[in-house]
Amino acid sequence: MIITLTTDFGLSDPFVGIMKGVILGIAPDVQIVDISHDVQAYDVLQAALVIDSAYPYFPDRTVHVVVVDPGVGSARRPIAAISHGQIFIAPDNGALTTVLGDEVHAITNETVFLSSVSRTFHGRDIFAPAAAHVARGMPVRNLGPSIQDFIKHPVPQPTRIGDKLLATVLRVDKFGNLITNLRRRDLNPNFTIRVAGRPVKRLCLTFSEAKSGELFALEGSTGYIEIAMNQDSAAEMLQVRQGAEIEVETGIANH
Amino acid sequence: MIITLTTDFGLSDPFVGIMKGVILGIAPDVQIVDISHDVQAYDVLQAALVIDSAYPYFPDRTVHVVVVDPGVGSARRPIAAISHGQIFIAPDNGALTTVLGDEVHAITNETVFLSSVSRTFHGRDIFAPAAAHVARGMPVRNLGPSIQDFIKHPVPQPTRIGDKLLATVLRVDKFGNLITNLRRRDLNPNFTIRVAGRPVKRLCLTFSEAKSGELFALEGSTGYIEIAMNQDSAAEMLQVRQGAEIEVETGIANH
Amino acid sequence: MIITLTTDFGLSDPFVGIMKGVILGIAPDVQIVDISHDVQAYDVLQAALVIDSAYPYFPDRTVHVVVVDPGVGSARRPIAAISHGQIFIAPDNGALTTVLGDEVHAITNETVFLSSVSRTFHGRDIFAPAAAHVARGMPVRNLGPSIQDFIKHPVPQPTRIGDKLLATVLRVDKFGNLITNLRRRDLNPNFTIRVAGRPVKRLCLTFSEAKSGELFALEGSTGYIEIAMNQDSAAEMLQVRQGAEIEVETGIANH
């Protein structure tokens, strides 16, 4: 069985290693995979986007633990969900926005918690042991009652204003590619994307077909349109960060 | 069996991966867990604090390797200790200050070393293979003779001066929380902690009960008092780093 | 079986975790080891140096995946090589320069690819699944035909000019040590290395035998001469980076 971890804990502190100790103490044979521990602190939408891009590449019954948890210790519930044949465990704060389906349970079964639960580190005390018990075979329904009123934030969608489409930069990756919330279908043959005042008019299939210094659009590996440069950082060149607005001139009026 | 790794090697260089190759060549079925590789370079006290916060969450017989080793290649000994039902392997330089108990062995048995031992990378040549042999079942006493004169540095404790307690910031975590060397028992009901000229008077149970922008104290997940902010970095706001002095006005005179 | 990963993907994005999901979906019992994901972006020579320093410490039949791939999606081929009793899988762009031997195969067998292959993430769609199939036992020759015209870049070697040797800084490690392309044999008893205008005349066996503030040379753990300081960063002190030129006065004229 596989347990994946997605957090905003970073790797400098021992937080992630401690979670792994708890998991392996309960489920010694599990394979643990780090998805990312560099989610922007407290940014539940980023966490939701990250797990959404990763889970399709994991086998059925993988248990995904997502801990971006600004409300740790407050009344927000821990939840466990079954979706797409996999299991997702997280605080009920929108961090699973992209994956929650029909079956969601509040985690109330304290027998799966560590014997002493802190107010500040539920990754260690609740989420890690709950995931380990599920990976060992405990049915998700044993974690607690089914709920319907879980939190699901909308992922920002492009908005049409007149003949324009207002979109946004969802994430910037390590190479400086701007991952937008646009899809291939949003771009007409004669599209112009405007980002930080610069026009982008070319859709490339690969990074390497672009000229050096050229800004271009590309359908990224997660299906979103990215603004990119060939062996250079679009983010740095444009001085653009997550959340930046971009505009698409579609050439089609909004009749 | 589990082997954990705590070093100041970072993750950019291949050092940590190389140690894992050595371990898996000897003990193919071991689970390797990274605790942290971002201990401040050469800071053995940080290493000791990190492993101290992590080991209690690992199962019995876990082998913890701690390599922060400014004296690598010099006369300082490699040691292996049994403590709290777990095994700790490190250079004899204080990096195990927080965990060393009664049974400590110098590692002198060269049959567990790599065939060629460098002067600069004992993590690869001595500590990793010794840990792997122990994880496979070699008794710790086979690594070398029991010793008593191992190095144990004191962890800085708060000092009482008049009616004040002088304390220090042991670590700053990724969220900017200041982990102090104070414990809950050091704070009276009417305490004032002064840090970087700012008074902190409130003890919260959770991050989220504090107001935005408020500095507060909190009993952290390792039992130390932390100075924190809700979804913000106390370290950045106060411009305070590891080692900073803090003062507690206890309101109790030193009769 | 072990699969190692060396990339320029960083650990903030989910790229590496996704590759691991693909691998474990095909080969659930494999041990995955990260060598480094902080290879400088697009720097195939760095990747070649990193894997060259790491593979000797892994057991026979380890599968090493190296993905530094500026030409992803272009005509450059994926390749798999058998060398030193181990298997190396990478794009054919020089990233395996240091390890390629006689047996190199183009990976053309699409049955080992993911069912849908993107133009931008072959680490996920081609390299990870090919490695997993080989780790499970598929012979390398089943991946595709043997080739001879693979790309091998020369590793920069020191050049003799008159009585001087011009060398270069291959890498800077986390501690600020400058890893040069010099070997022990390149240094005469009375050598002077000049780097950033500063002379280095002493060869130490260990870091700790040098005085505080002293620049010295040392045979590093990979066999290259390093310029180092004791518990300090030579790179920071000299303001020197990868690629910097260094000069060795050998005292031997070039007759």
Side-chain angles (χ1 to χ4, degrees):
Chain A
M1 293 301 293
I2 301 169
I3 293 178
T4 81
L5 303 179
T6 302
T7 76
D8 60 355
F9 292 167
L11 290 171
S12 296
D13 296 301
F15 304 136
V16 172
I18 289 170
M19 287 179 68
K20 293 178 181 176
V22 170
I23 288 170
L24 293 174
I26 296 166
D29 297 323
V30 84
Q31 290 257 27
I32 304 175
V33 174
D34 299 302
I35 304 296
S36 173
H37 298 290
D38 283 333
V39 174
Q40 185 79 20
Y42 323 117
D43 191 338
V44 296
L45 176 61
Q46 286 302 309
L49 292 170
V50 163
I51 197 62
D52 191 45
S53 68
Y55 84 81
Y57 296 94
F58 283 83
D60 280 358
R61 304 294 302 166
T62 296
V63 181
H64 301 281
V65 180
V66 180
V67 191
V68 174
D69 196 10
V72 60
S74 71
R76 71 94 193 87
R77 299 171 294 191
I79 57 173
I82 301 180
S83 190
H84 308 283
Q86 307 194 35
I87 296 120
F88 298 85
I89 291 181
D92 182 23
N93 61 10
L96 296 180
T97 283
T98 48
V99 294
L100 287 181
D102 290 336
E103 185 171 354
V104 181
H105 296 258
I107 304 177
T108 57
N109 177 353
E110 297 185 6
T111 68
V112 305
F113 299 174
L114 290 201
S115 56
S116 164
V117 174
S118 72
R119 307 275 195 144
T120 56
F121 192 5
H122 286 186
R124 176 188 72 190
D125 303 335
I126 294 179
F127 298 111
H133 283 287
V134 169
R136 277 190 62 185
M138 177 183 277
V140 172
R141 65 175 181 277
N142 289 17
L143 293 177
S146 175
I147 60 172
Q148 297 296 330
D149 59 342
F150 48 82
I151 293 173
K152 221 171 150 162
H153 294 308
V155 176
Q157 299 297 327
T159 327
R160 182 168 293 278
I161 306 214
D163 62 349
K164 289 183 178 150
L165 213 49
L166 288 186
T168 189
V169 174
L170 290 175
R171 293 203 306 124
V172 176
D173 77 13
K174 188 252 187 180
F175 297 97
N177 302 316
L178 312 177
I179 302 169
T180 75
N181 60 346
L182 294 163
R183 302 282 183 173
R184 180 72 189 77
R185 62 173 180 267
D186 296 320
L187 300 182
N188 284 15
N190 295 313
F191 75 88
T192 302
I193 299 175
R194 283 192 191 279
V195 47
R198 293 279 297 265
V200 176
K201 290 170 170 291
R202 184 174 177 204
L203 184 71
C204 291
L205 289 175
T206 70
F207 293 100
S208 52
E209 71 187 74
K211 288 190 286 281
S212 174
E214 181 185 5
L215 275 173
F216 62 94
L218 170 133
E219 186 174 6
S221 60
T222 53
Y224 287 114
I225 295 296
E226 304 182 5
I227 309 297
M229 297 179 75
N230 183 7
Q231 297 191 46
D232 219 329
S233 167
E236 210 164 280
M237 204 269 248
L238 296 169
Q239 290 294 306
V240 157
R241 297 169 61 181
Q242 176 187 325
E245 285 199 354
I246 61 186
E247 210 177 270
V248 186
E249 297 168 12
T250 59
I252 302 176
N254 186 19
H255 300 295
Chain B
M1 292 300 295
I2 301 169
I3 293 178
T4 81
L5 303 179
T6 302
T7 76
D8 60 356
F9 292 167
L11 290 171
S12 296
D13 297 299
F15 304 136
V16 172
I18 288 171
M19 287 180 67
K20 292 178 181 176
V22 170
I23 288 169
L24 293 174
I26 296 166
D29 297 324
V30 85
Q31 291 257 24
I32 304 175
V33 174
D34 299 302
I35 303 297
S36 173
H37 298 289
D38 283 333
V39 174
Q40 185 80 19
Y42 323 116
D43 190 338
V44 296
L45 177 61
Q46 287 302 309
L49 293 169
V50 163
I51 196 63
D52 192 45
S53 69
Y55 84 81
Y57 296 95
F58 283 82
D60 279 359
R61 304 293 304 166
T62 296
V63 181
H64 302 281
V65 180
V66 180
V67 191
V68 174
D69 196 10
V72 60
S74 72
R76 70 96 193 85
R77 299 171 294 192
I79 57 172
I82 301 179
S83 190
H84 308 284
Q86 307 194 36
I87 296 120
F88 299 86
I89 291 181
D92 182 23
N93 62 10
L96 296 179
T97 284
T98 48
V99 294
L100 288 181
D102 290 337
E103 186 172 354
V104 181
H105 295 258
I107 304 178
T108 56
N109 178 353
E110 297 184 5
T111 68
V112 305
F113 299 175
L114 290 201
S115 57
S116 164
V117 173
S118 72
R119 307 275 195 145
T120 56
F121 192 4
H122 287 187
R124 176 189 71 189
D125 303 335
I126 294 179
F127 298 112
H133 283 286
V134 169
R136 275 190 64 185
M138 177 183 278
V140 171
R141 64 175 181 277
N142 289 16
L143 293 177
S146 175
I147 60 173
Q148 297 296 328
D149 59 339
F150 48 81
I151 292 173
K152 220 171 148 161
H153 294 308
V155 175
Q157 299 298 327
T159 326
R160 182 167 296 278
I161 305 215
D163 63 348
K164 289 184 176 149
L165 214 49
L166 288 186
T168 189
V169 174
L170 291 175
R171 292 204 306 123
V172 176
D173 77 14
K174 187 252 187 176
F175 297 97
N177 302 317
L178 312 177
I179 302 168
T180 75
N181 60 346
L182 294 163
R183 301 283 182 171
R184 180 74 190 76
R185 62 174 178 266
D186 296 320
L187 300 182
N188 284 16
N190 296 314
F191 74 90
T192 303
I193 298 175
R194 283 193 191 279
V195 47
R198 294 279 297 265
V200 176
K201 290 169 170 289
R202 185 176 177 202
L203 184 71
C204 292
L205 289 175
T206 69
F207 293 101
S208 54
E209 71 186 76
K211 288 190 286 278
S212 174
E214 181 185 5
L215 275 174
F216 61 94
L218 169 133
E219 187 174 6
S221 61
T222 54
Y224 287 114
I225 295 295
E226 303 180 6
I227 309 297
M229 297 178 75
N230 183 7
Q231 297 191 45
D232 219 327
S233 166
E236 209 164 280
M237 203 269 248
L238 295 169
Q239 290 293 304
V240 157
R241 298 169 60 180
Q242 177 187 327
E245 285 200 353
I246 61 185
E247 208 177 273
V248 186
E249 296 168 13
T250 60
I252 303 175
N254 186 20
H255 301 295
Chain C
M1 293 302 292
I2 301 169
I3 293 177
T4 81
L5 303 178
T6 301
T7 76
D8 60 356
F9 293 168
L11 290 171
S12 296
D13 297 301
F15 304 135
V16 172
I18 288 170
M19 287 180 67
K20 292 177 181 177
V22 170
I23 288 170
L24 294 174
I26 296 166
D29 297 324
V30 85
Q31 289 257 25
I32 304 175
V33 174
D34 300 302
I35 304 295
S36 173
H37 298 291
D38 283 334
V39 174
Q40 185 79 21
Y42 323 116
D43 191 337
V44 296
L45 176 62
Q46 287 302 308
L49 292 169
V50 163
I51 196 63
D52 191 45
S53 68
Y55 84 81
Y57 297 94
F58 283 82
D60 280 358
R61 305 291 306 164
T62 295
V63 181
H64 301 281
V65 180
V66 180
V67 191
V68 174
D69 195 10
V72 60
S74 72
R76 72 94 193 88
R77 299 172 292 192
I79 57 172
I82 301 180
S83 190
H84 309 284
Q86 307 194 35
I87 295 120
F88 298 86
I89 291 181
D92 182 23
N93 62 10
L96 296 180
T97 283
T98 49
V99 295
L100 287 182
D102 290 336
E103 185 170 356
V104 181
H105 295 258
I107 304 177
T108 56
N109 178 353
E110 297 185 6
T111 68
V112 305
F113 299 175
L114 290 201
S115 56
S116 163
V117 173
S118 72
R119 307 275 196 145
T120 56
F121 192 5
H122 287 187
R124 176 189 71 188
D125 303 335
I126 294 179
F127 298 112
H133 282 288
V134 169
R136 276 190 64 184
M138 176 183 279
V140 172
R141 64 173 181 279
N142 289 16
L143 293 177
S146 176
I147 60 172
Q148 297 297 329
D149 59 340
F150 48 81
I151 292 174
K152 219 170 149 161
H153 294 308
V155 175
Q157 299 297 326
T159 325
R160 183 168 294 279
I161 306 214
D163 63 347
K164 289 186 177 150
L165 215 49
L166 289 186
T168 189
V169 174
L170 290 175
R171 292 205 306 124
V172 176
D173 77 12
K174 187 251 187 179
F175 297 97
N177 301 317
L178 312 178
I179 302 168
T180 74
N181 60 346
L182 294 163
R183 301 283 182 171
R184 180 72 190 79
R185 62 174 179 266
D186 296 319
L187 300 182
N188 285 16
N190 296 314
F191 75 88
T192 303
I193 299 175
R194 282 194 191 277
V195 46
R198 292 279 296 265
V200 176
K201 291 168 171 289
R202 186 176 175 202
L203 184 71
C204 291
L205 289 175
T206 69
F207 293 101
S208 54
E209 70 186 74
K211 288 190 286 281
S212 174
E214 181 185 4
L215 275 174
F216 62 94
L218 170 133
E219 187 174 5
S221 61
T222 54
Y224 287 114
I225 296 295
E226 304 181 5
I227 309 297
M229 297 179 76
N230 184 6
Q231 297 190 46
D232 219 329
S233 167
E236 210 164 281
M237 204 269 247
L238 296 169
Q239 290 293 306
V240 158
R241 298 169 61 180
Q242 176 187 326
E245 286 199 354
I246 62 185
E247 207 177 273
V248 186
E249 298 169 11
T250 59
I252 301 176
N254 185 21
H255 299 294

